[in-house]
Amino acid sequence: MGLYIHIPFCRQACNYCDFHFSTNLRGIENTLKAMEREIDLRFLSAPIEQDTYYFGGGTPSLLPAKIISSLVDSAMKNAPLKKGGEFTLEVNPEDVNNESLSNWKKLGINRLSIGVQSFIDDKLKWMNRSHNSIEASTSILRAQDAGFENISIDLIYGIPSSSLSEWQFNVNKALEMKLVHLSTYALTVERKTQLFYEIKKGESKPLCDDRAEEDFRWYRNYLCQQGWDCYEISNSCLPEWRSVHNSRYWLRKPYYGIGPGAHSYDGGSIRRWNVSNNIKYQKSVGVNNSWYEEEFLEKRDIINEIIMTQLRTREGLDSKILGKWLSDIEKCWRPHLDAERLKKDEYGFWKLLDKGLFWADRIASDGFIP
Ligand code: SF4
């Protein structure tokens, strides 16, 4: 099992972000109390040992030491992390200092995922990030000095008005800093984000697929040449440093999600998600199961999810899983096979080829069972 804890607070809104978070930090204490209540309720019958913990958000690193300690205590009491289990904390560069690092170490956190996004100041400013490029580099160096070895950073590519050489600078900087893991995301425009309105009003240039694809293809080839394990479309690492927790999602292993907006999966056919509203969540946790909704997946939903997640992995999608739908799906993918975006290997695994990797989600959805 894995435990995901969603901390729904941020200092300010990044222009592209549509995750669930609030910038009203006065709500932290009450929301966190409700989250501890949810942990108690979810493991009421008996504690269940977890293989991994992942504290994401939002910005978990902005939590005061006392509050995050109390949350970890509550998790450990009800859903203890197995000895040596991966414990990831998402952090923003401006929160990384000697005191916070020492506190996170004491809590047993052994993996940091730092939201760097870029090492270039004007791009950080454009994204409305709350850190600058010096803080980005310093946070990594400080974490390494404090003894954190398992560090990942997030980087965003395909930013309008950015160039390939700027993206190359970002990736090279990450490699120079001896990081073991990179999560790289193409910028997307989600409705109701600041970026969506900026583009609508003509204040920002619209995104360009060609620009993003150029960045993607360059870094994917570059990292593979450097011996990196490009194990998922958005995730690459040095050999042996895959994220154990995130791998659960594409291997369809079960996980508990705690906190407003968090999702859970039982590893079979039940998905569940908590209300994405901090106040409603506080008021409803423990009241007639009203803080979450559940969905029972039909076989075809499960197959579509498998197509979407496994096609993105280096290992590919096992055609045996597709059962009676195999020939229909193959028919839908014929144009991608002919265009050499996709192939089926000798073991029956569907794998994206160089020309198809950037279009993974589109190719996957072309094969969905209606
Ligand atoms: S810090 Fe992360 S969660 Fe918060 S607004 Fe920015 S991208 Fe979204």
Side-chain angles (χ1 to χ4, degrees):
M1 292 298 292
L3 183 72
Y4 173 76
I5 298 208
H6 186 80
I7 308 297
F9 294 97
C10 292
R11 286 198 184 78
Q12 61 191 52
C14 303
N15 74 345
Y16 54 86
C17 182
D18 74 336
F19 294 159
H20 170 61
F21 66 91
S22 161
T23 50
N24 177 6
L25 304 188
R26 286 193 305 268
I28 288 181
E29 213 160 306
N30 286 339
T31 305
L32 269 284
K33 269 189 203 147
M35 288 169 64
E36 290 187 18
R37 223 161 51 235
E38 186 187 4
I39 296 175
D40 286 343
L41 289 167
R42 298 284 291 273
F43 301 96
L44 202 54
S45 39
I48 298 176
E49 191 180 65
Q50 306 293 312
D51 300 312
T52 54
Y53 276 6
Y54 194 104
F55 284 27
T59 310
S61 56
L62 62 66
L63 291 181
K66 218 170 108 190
I67 291 188
I68 189 169
S69 300
S70 167
L71 187 63
V72 173
D73 283 350
S74 165
M76 281 296 199
K77 190 175 77 193
N78 291 282
L81 179 64
K82 76 171 187 198
K83 204 163 179 275
E86 182 186 277
F87 185 171
T88 303
L89 180 74
E90 282 184 356
V91 307
N92 275 2
E94 67 273 19
D95 294 322
V96 180
N97 55 53
N98 293 342
E99 199 185 329
S100 58
L101 285 162
S102 137
N103 187 43
W104 298 335
K105 274 240 135 170
K106 274 189 222 139
L107 294 176
I109 291 160
N110 53 29
R111 182 173 185 272
L112 297 180
S113 170
I114 308 181
V116 166
Q117 317 307 350
S118 175
F119 290 103
I120 301 171
D121 277 323
D122 66 323
K123 297 297 172 288
L124 290 169
K125 210 166 163 206
W126 181 83
M127 289 187 260
N128 199 35
R129 295 291 309 190
S130 46
H131 65 276
N132 60 33
S133 61
I134 294 178
E135 287 170 311
S137 313
T138 312
S139 65
I140 297 168
L141 295 173
R142 281 191 180 144
Q144 288 170 329
D145 282 350
F148 283 95
E149 203 184 353
N150 196 351
I151 301 175
S152 176
I153 64 167
D154 289 353
L155 290 175
I156 292 183
Y157 60 91
I159 297 174
S161 77
S162 70
S163 63
L164 176 61
S165 60
E166 286 176 317
W167 175 239
Q168 290 171 330
F169 169 80
N170 279 329
V171 174
N172 277 316
K173 178 99 182 160
L175 296 190
E176 273 164 29
M177 299 195 84
K178 307 273 179 245
L179 293 161
V180 298
H181 192 283
L182 280 179
S183 293
T184 44
Y185 301 100
L187 184 69
T188 54
V189 184
E190 308 301 334
R191 292 186 79 80
K192 295 192 183 160
T193 59
Q194 194 190 325
L195 180 57
F196 176 82
Y197 294 110
E198 283 169 6
I199 292 176
K200 216 170 150 190
K201 285 191 267 170
E203 291 167 6
S204 273
K205 273 169 80 174
L207 304 197
C208 165
D209 278 345
D210 291 349
R211 185 69 278 289
E213 189 175 5
E214 185 184 25
D215 286 350
F216 174 84
R217 290 177 79 143
W218 172 79
Y219 95 84
R220 179 91 188 186
N221 285 331
Y222 186 62
L223 288 184
C224 292
Q225 279 164 15
Q226 311 274 329
W228 278 57
D229 173 13
C230 299
Y231 66 104
E232 202 264 349
I233 296 287
S234 303
N235 290 283
S236 312
C237 63
L238 285 174
E240 313 297 329
W241 290 96
R242 290 186 181 198
S243 158
V244 184
H245 184 89
N246 288 345
S247 297
R248 307 189 76 81
Y249 299 132
W250 40 89
L251 295 173
R252 301 179 58 75
K253 291 189 177 168
Y255 53 88
Y256 292 92
I258 304 287
H263 286 234
S264 305
Y265 176 53
D266 74 343
S269 56
I270 302 177
R271 288 206 177 276
R272 154 179 177 157
W273 57 95
N274 289 349
V275 58
S276 290
N277 178 303
N278 293 358
I279 302 290
K280 277 191 193 152
Y281 173 83
Q282 285 167 30
K283 288 187 177 157
S284 59
V285 169
V287 183
N288 301 327
N289 299 339
S290 58
W291 77 95
Y292 64 87
E293 285 181 67
E294 271 184 346
E295 180 188 16
F296 293 85
L297 303 172
E298 289 181 22
K299 185 75 183 164
R300 71 182 57 218
D301 300 323
I302 294 174
I303 297 284
N304 287 342
E305 284 191 6
I306 291 174
I307 293 173
M308 181 55 103
T309 49
Q310 294 191 359
L311 206 55
R312 292 174 59 92
T313 63
R314 182 175 175 176
E315 284 69 28
L317 166 70
D318 186 352
S319 54
K320 286 198 286 296
I321 294 170
L322 305 179
K324 65 176 182 181
W325 288 288
L326 177 63
S327 63
D328 285 345
I329 293 170
E330 276 192 9
K331 237 180 263 161
C332 296
W333 276 341
R334 176 53 49 198
H336 298 304
L337 284 163
D338 293 343
E340 296 183 345
R341 288 188 278 265
L342 186 67
K343 70 162 188 187
K344 187 153 81 168
D345 73 10
E346 63 271 37
Y347 306 104
F349 280 76
W350 292 92
K351 289 183 175 167
L352 292 164
L353 297 170
D354 267 2
K355 280 197 263 174
L357 284 164
F358 179 74
W359 303 103
D361 293 348
R362 229 174 264 184
I363 294 172
S365 61
D366 285 345
F368 280 179
I369 306 161

